Amino acid sequence: MKRLVVALSTLCIAYLGQSQDLVSKIPSNATAVVAIKGKRMLDLVSVSEFSNSRLGQMLGKELGRETDGQVNNLEQLGLDLNNNFYYFLEAKEGVFNNCFLIPLKNSNGVLSLLGERQKEDMVTEGSISYIQDDYDGSVILWNENAMLVLISESTKNDYSYYDDYGYDVPLATEEMAITVEEGVSEGAEEVEIAAEAVEDAKESVESAAEEVIEETIIDIEETVIESVEPATPDYDDYYNSEAYKKEQEEREKKRLAREAKRKKEREAQANRTLDKAKVIMAGNHTNGNILKNTAYVQSIGNGQDEAVAWVNDFGRIYQDMVMGAYYGGMVNPYDFMGIDKLYNGFSITARLNFEKDHASLKTKYQMNRELADIYKPMYSGKFNPNFTKYINEDRLLGYWSLNMSTEGLLTAYPQLMDMVFNNSKGENYADAVSLGTDLFSTLIDEEAAGEIIRGDMLLVLNDLSEREVTYTDYEYDEEYNYKEVEKTKTETVPDFMFMFSSEKKGIFDRLVRIGIRENELKAIGGIYQITDMPNASPFDLYVMFKDNTVFMGSSKKDMLAIGNGTFVSKLSGTHKKNMKKNVTSMFVNGKKIISEIPAESFPRELRDKVAFLTANTEDVYFNFEKIKGTSMEGEMIWNTPEEGHNNSFAYFINMIDSLMD
């Protein structure tokens, strides 16, 4: 393997020496790299073809507007479209450098994109020129061969909310608040005493005439209340006091000091960003460029993909993010959880390719050995071959299959929790979590649970049909009073069938008996209809148990046919293979879906394009394989018609053009 990596590195370096590929400017410690292969894209669609497309014309129009007519198409930008374009991320101690590397034929196009103010701020040093944003310090730096856009972001935050806004709680204000509170309390006591006096007065004049009593009582109440009403604090005196003025002066000094500190830090960060941009452009990296990184060299493979995205070691990215977010002494709640163990050594590679009759996106997830050993039992489910007996490909709109293991999932869950909480900072929680997982394993019989729901499932969508549904609406009168009214509408929905394996028919039968007794289920020829469905539901729902399988479906006809053994099945070997060997598999019959949706259901602007969409829409597949070693691989394939399009990349451009028409 090492010899292979060395050989690949040698080939890459030799290739770069000839083509001046910008990959040599990416540091070896980059945590993410995205490469777009310009030459391979041009082999699919030429610059002139793209410029003549509606999308290209729209881009040209926008460029002309932005440059006052100096640039009107992609070619005039001065980009070297035969070379590779890159984005990479460098993360360190909470600082994230987002970098875009763009190959150039010359710098004329860059200069034409700059406004007059930017040209005034432009700095030239030898063969490089740059402009830097005053606010965030981002840099655009270029020479005659390349342009670099560097945006630096920091997650560090060592200021509190009160520091940011200069809010201090003045001592005099606190004392004043206490004084006011005490005054109000004393006033309340006096009011209570006065109220007792009023009651005594009422009792002493009961023998007098009623009108005289009422007038006397009212006079006494008003007099007492006025005499004991607490005085309103004189805030004007406080805000005009020397103490308050002194506090304001101190607050302003602190604010100015904080502002000066932040300005200094922003300037320092801007200088670091500019220095970093110069180092990247020169390719003067301490530890060499990304081609020294074995993981990256292995990810790029033979270099024949149109685009490749690589994200390395999520654990390191996670640590940098957390370090910055909780910088300055703040308590990091994740310190008590070893979440980094979930991401340590975890990486993703994605490859995008445009073939003659399809586009594909292939992904590979790499994980550490400990995590792979825990996950494997979860994804060790076995597909129930009986599922394929209840699919008819002529009616098929799409499906989604899942091959998980309930027993494996319940077994792995305690191990996963123990791993996450087993760290030095979380030792106070580790014992509690371990005890909880032990109790979980004791109370849950994983094998028995797996017999109830094994973990393999299949959802199938069949023909679209129109259903009339009832819903509640509201009508308003002239005074905006409303009342509920029941209305109906027509919706286009597919019939569906959901299946999952189970070895516990007895449990299903008991649930059915309870459902019938409670009038929640209705028996119909061996199947059972759920009667308590919402009025707004666009479908009926039926359930049954057969062949160690629980069925839930919206088609009464299909359910009865399955129950009495007359269902007509038809399914290709490709679909059967995908369902059986993959953890999850998905299929969308695009052409059939488009052709069966009523034209009036489309947005108005697309109704006259239904025929075009039907003729130019094909199938989409998505498959994700089981864990092999320490990796999982997945692939999405979007089939495209061969007629009318030179390749799948041209297909997407043609589709965009048609929809913009």
Side-chain angles (χ1 to χ4, degrees):
M1 177 60 72
K2 289 184 178 179
R3 291 183 178 180
L4 175 60
V5 171
V6 171
L8 285 173
S9 300
T10 304
L11 287 172
C12 289
I13 293 172
Y15 168 75
L16 297 176
Q18 298 175 359
S19 64
Q20 300 298 314
D21 195 292
L22 299 181
V23 73
S24 61
K25 300 183 184 299
I26 303 175
S28 62
N29 65 338
T31 54
V33 179
V34 178
I36 299 176
K37 310 296 181 67
K39 177 66 169 60
R40 290 190 60 82
M41 301 297 281
L42 287 182
D43 289 342
L44 297 170
V45 174
S46 68
V47 176
S48 61
E49 287 176 319
F50 177 78
S51 297
N52 290 328
S53 69
R54 288 186 175 273
L55 186 60
Q57 291 173 2
M58 183 176 69
L59 175 61
K61 184 177 180 180
E62 183 64 20
L63 287 171
R65 187 180 68 82
E66 291 289 336
T67 63
D68 295 327
Q70 296 183 59
V71 176
N72 294 295
N73 57 56
L74 198 59
E75 291 179 285
Q76 293 176 337
L77 274 177
L79 304 180
D80 184 1
L81 299 174
N82 281 296
N83 217 317
N84 298 336
F85 294 69
Y86 293 94
Y87 159 82
F88 71 88
L89 171 67
E90 185 182 31
K92 187 176 182 181
E93 297 180 355
V95 177
F96 292 80
N97 291 318
N98 297 275
C99 311
F100 300 85
L101 286 167
I102 303 167
L104 301 176
K105 289 181 179 178
N106 54 64
S107 62
N108 296 335
V110 178
L111 295 174
S112 65
L113 291 174
L114 299 181
E116 293 302 318
R117 176 66 182 274
Q118 290 175 311
K119 289 179 180 178
E120 293 176 3
D121 295 337
M122 185 177 71
V123 178
T124 299
E125 297 177 359
S127 62
I128 65 170
S129 300
Y130 65 85
I131 56 174
Q132 187 167 27
D133 189 273
D134 293 333
Y135 179 73
D136 62 8
S138 60
V139 176
I140 301 177
L141 184 150
W142 66 93
N143 57 26
E144 287 299 306
N145 300 314
M147 178 171 69
L148 165 68
V149 179
L150 174 56
I151 303 171
S152 185
E153 300 175 324
S154 175
T155 61
K156 292 183 178 180
N157 180 14
D158 57 349
Y159 298 107
S160 71
Y161 174 85
Y162 293 102
D163 284 337
D164 283 336
Y165 292 94
Y167 290 152
D168 300 314
V169 180
L171 180 61
T173 303
E174 291 180 347
E175 293 175 346
M176 180 178 177
I178 294 172
T179 302
V180 171
E181 183 178 355
E182 291 176 348
V184 172
S185 178
E186 292 175 0
E189 292 178 0
E190 293 181 7
V191 169
E192 185 176 351
I193 294 171
E196 293 177 358
V198 171
E199 291 298 325
D200 292 341
K202 287 181 179 180
E203 292 176 0
S204 66
V205 295
E206 283 181 353
S207 59
E210 185 174 348
E211 293 182 1
V212 175
I213 293 173
E214 292 178 353
E215 291 175 0
T216 303
I217 292 173
I218 291 171
D219 290 339
I220 293 173
E221 288 179 338
E222 291 177 349
T223 302
V224 172
I225 290 173
E226 289 175 0
S227 66
V228 300
E229 185 175 353
T232 303
D234 191 346
Y235 291 102
D236 291 337
D237 288 345
Y238 167 70
Y239 287 119
N240 291 322
S241 68
E242 290 299 318
Y244 178 73
K245 292 178 181 178
K246 186 176 181 180
E247 289 170 0
Q248 288 295 91
E249 290 175 0
E250 290 297 321
R251 182 181 290 113
E252 181 64 12
K253 287 180 182 179
K254 291 180 181 180
R255 187 189 67 80
L256 292 174
R258 284 190 295 268
E259 189 174 286
K261 181 181 178 182
R262 294 178 187 178
K263 181 179 179 182
K264 184 177 180 180
E265 290 180 349
R266 282 196 299 268
E267 291 175 349
Q269 178 60 36
N271 291 334
R272 287 193 293 269
T273 302
L274 180 58
D275 291 341
K276 170 64 70 173
K278 293 177 180 178
V279 168
I280 292 171
M281 183 61 82
N284 294 330
H285 303 298
T286 305
N287 297 319
N289 62 49
I290 193 68
L291 294 178
K292 297 288 185 180
N293 189 314
T294 302
Y296 177 74
V297 173
Q298 290 177 331
S299 76
I300 61 178
N302 58 16
Q304 298 303 304
D305 307 293
E306 272 72 65
V308 178
W310 172 76
V311 183
N312 187 43
D313 199 349
F314 277 76
R316 203 174 86 198
I317 298 175
Y318 161 78
Q319 289 176 349
D320 284 325
M321 291 181 65
V322 170
M323 181 182 294
Y326 295 96
Y327 179 79
M330 295 180 66
V331 177
N332 176 7
Y334 295 110
D335 277 347
F336 306 104
M337 303 168 62
I339 292 184
D340 58 304
K341 292 184 179 180
L342 296 177
Y343 302 115
N344 183 35
F346 191 96
S347 64
I348 297 176
T349 302
R351 307 169 183 274
L352 177 64
N353 284 282
F354 296 101
E355 307 297 343
K356 175 70 176 178
D357 58 354
H358 71 273
S360 68
L361 178 64
K362 298 181 180 180
T363 56
K364 182 176 182 179
Y365 294 79
Q366 190 73 40
M367 65 194 79
N368 60 64
R369 170 60 63 181
E370 184 179 8
L371 198 62
D373 290 341
I374 292 176
Y375 279 161
K376 275 183 180 178
M378 300 183 184
Y379 300 112
S380 62
K382 296 180 180 179
F383 183 73
N384 187 341
N386 289 329
F387 290 171
T388 61
K389 298 178 183 178
Y390 310 114
I391 305 175
N392 188 313
E393 196 166 345
D394 293 337
R395 300 170 50 206
L396 186 63
L397 299 177
Y399 63 76
W400 172 56
S401 68
L402 181 65
N403 290 333
M404 299 289 288
S405 169
T406 301
E407 181 180 352
L409 180 64
L410 295 176
T411 302
Y413 175 75
Q415 300 175 31
L416 192 62
M417 291 298 98
D418 283 343
M419 184 186 77
V420 169
F421 283 92
N422 186 16
N423 64 67
S424 58
K425 292 184 179 180
E427 59 185 3
N428 294 331
Y429 297 91
D431 290 339
V433 171
S434 181
L435 176 60
T437 55
D438 286 344
L439 289 174
F440 177 85
S441 297
T442 301
L443 296 173
I444 300 296
D445 186 333
E446 294 88 352
E447 185 177 353
E451 291 177 352
I452 298 173
I453 301 178
R454 195 168 71 179
D456 53 333
M457 306 175 184
L458 177 64
L459 174 65
V460 180
L461 301 181
N462 292 312
D463 300 314
L464 291 170
S465 59
E466 293 185 348
R467 304 282 183 88
E468 192 174 82
V469 298
T470 303
Y471 67 99
T472 301
D473 200 358
Y474 301 92
E475 291 184 353
Y476 296 83
D477 59 22
E478 295 180 354
E479 297 180 354
Y480 297 100
N481 297 313
Y482 71 89
K483 64 177 180 179
E484 293 185 355
V485 294
E486 194 175 81
K487 295 184 178 180
T488 59
K489 61 180 177 180
T490 300
E491 290 189 355
T492 302
V493 295
D495 281 324
F496 70 87
M497 181 73 67
F498 178 67
M499 299 168 257
F500 66 88
S501 295
S502 174
E503 299 176 20
K504 295 294 184 179
K505 185 176 186 298
I507 293 178
F508 179 83
D509 291 340
R510 285 195 292 272
L511 290 173
V512 166
R513 287 197 295 269
I514 294 172
I516 292 176
R517 186 170 63 244
E518 298 296 328
N519 294 320
E520 300 288 340
L521 292 177
K522 177 182 177 182
I524 306 175
I527 67 174
Y528 303 92
Q529 181 181 2
I530 297 178
T531 57
D532 190 21
M533 295 288 289
N535 290 335
S537 175
F539 53 79
D540 296 324
L541 188 59
Y542 305 88
V543 297
M544 66 176 294
F545 191 103
K546 182 179 181 179
D547 295 338
N548 287 341
T549 304
V550 176
F551 295 83
M552 300 178 65
S554 62
S555 172
K556 179 180 177 181
K557 178 182 177 181
D558 287 347
M559 291 288 284
L560 288 172
I562 292 172
N564 59 35
T566 60
F567 186 90
V568 179
S569 64
K570 178 183 178 183
L571 192 64
S572 70
T574 299
H575 290 306
K576 291 180 180 179
K577 182 180 178 181
N578 287 339
M579 293 177 186
K580 182 179 180 179
K581 77 170 187 175
N582 294 306
V583 170
T584 186
S585 181
M586 187 178 295
F587 166 72
V588 178
N589 189 337
K591 184 182 292 293
K592 187 172 180 62
I593 291 175
I594 295 295
S595 64
E596 292 196 4
I597 296 178
E600 58 270 16
S601 297
F602 284 89
R604 189 179 304 276
E605 60 273 15
L606 292 180
R607 291 177 184 175
D608 59 344
K609 298 180 173 65
V610 173
F612 174 84
L613 291 172
T614 301
N616 288 275
T617 304
E618 296 292 342
D619 304 334
V620 178
Y621 290 86
F622 175 80
N623 298 308
F624 220 93
E625 299 178 1
K626 296 182 179 181
I627 295 178
K628 295 178 181 178
T630 58
S631 65
M632 294 182 72
E633 296 188 19
E635 181 178 33
M636 185 185 76
I637 297 177
W638 188 319
N639 288 328
T640 59
E642 295 188 46
E643 294 184 8
H645 314 281
N646 293 331
N647 51 66
S648 56
F649 185 49
Y651 161 82
F652 286 108
I653 293 177
N654 294 340
M655 287 291 286
I656 293 172
D657 278 3
S658 176
L659 296 177
M660 292 173 59
D661 206 350

